[in-house]
Amino acid sequence: LKRSLLLSYHLGRTVTYMLLGVVGASVSQFMVGTPYHSRVAAMLLLMAGILFIFKALPLRGPLKLLSEKLPFVKETVRGYGRVVSTIAAPFSRRQNRGNLFFFGAALGFLPCGLVMAAVFAVAATGNPLLAAGGMALFSLGTMPVLSTFGLGARVVQRKWPHQVRVVTNYVMALSGFFLCASALRLAL
């Protein structure tokens, strides 16, 4: 893809992330300064951490049992993903700046633990303007990684598929544990 088209895609994604941050902070702003603020922020960070860990670890033992007892969660996420994909698909057919902007904006709504964690973090500020800025910076920070990953991932994945999966899961689980630790520190 041409650089300008890729930039349109990232701009669409950024607008969606900023919107999610503004909505989260607008809801949480009513709790800032109350005794519930740190508890709600800790709960949001803990949920993000658990999502990361649940996604990263193989489904064995208690995780497998939980997954079997709550199949509606997996089906709900899959159904939501299909709806977003259906909305985004027409914008991917013709690659021009406008289409790729809306393609990026639509895909910004796909469930992603990292984005959810960022939204939870900026929502905890209770400041919609700060949340929008935080999500814009988050998006800006992901652009080089996503661009590089998109170009190099296919090569690396083909050459070392098992190792890539193992490393990815470890990084995701470690991030989840850090988020949970931050939540516990905030709650105590």
Side-chain angles (χ1 to χ4, degrees), residues 24 48 58 126 143 170:
M143 284 180 197
Y170 276 116

Side-chain angles (χ1 to χ4, degrees), residues 54 62-77:
F54 192 84
L63 288 177
K64 185 172 183 175
L65 183 63
L66 183 63
S67 177
E68 290 168 357
K69 297 285 183 193
L70 303 172
F72 67 91
V73 173
K74 185 185 278 186
E75 289 306 313
T76 301
V77 170

Side-chain angles (χ1 to χ4, degrees), residues 3 6-7 9-11 13-14 17 114 135-153:
R3 228 179 255 168
L6 198 54
L7 203 54
Y9 165 78
H10 286 301
L11 184 58
R13 212 172 39 83
T14 301
Y17 292 170
L114 188 58
M135 290 308 293
L137 290 173
F138 168 80
S139 183
L140 184 65
T142 64
M143 284 180 197
V145 173
L146 286 176
S147 298
T148 303
F149 187 75
L151 296 172

Side-chain angles (χ1 to χ4, degrees), residues 146-169:
L146 286 176
S147 298
T148 303
F149 187 75
L151 296 172
R154 289 183 192 106
V155 174
V156 173
Q157 181 69 28
R158 279 188 208 124
K159 196 166 186 170
W160 301 292
H162 175 71
Q163 292 85 343
V164 169
R165 192 172 27 258
V166 168
V167 169
T168 301
N169 285 344

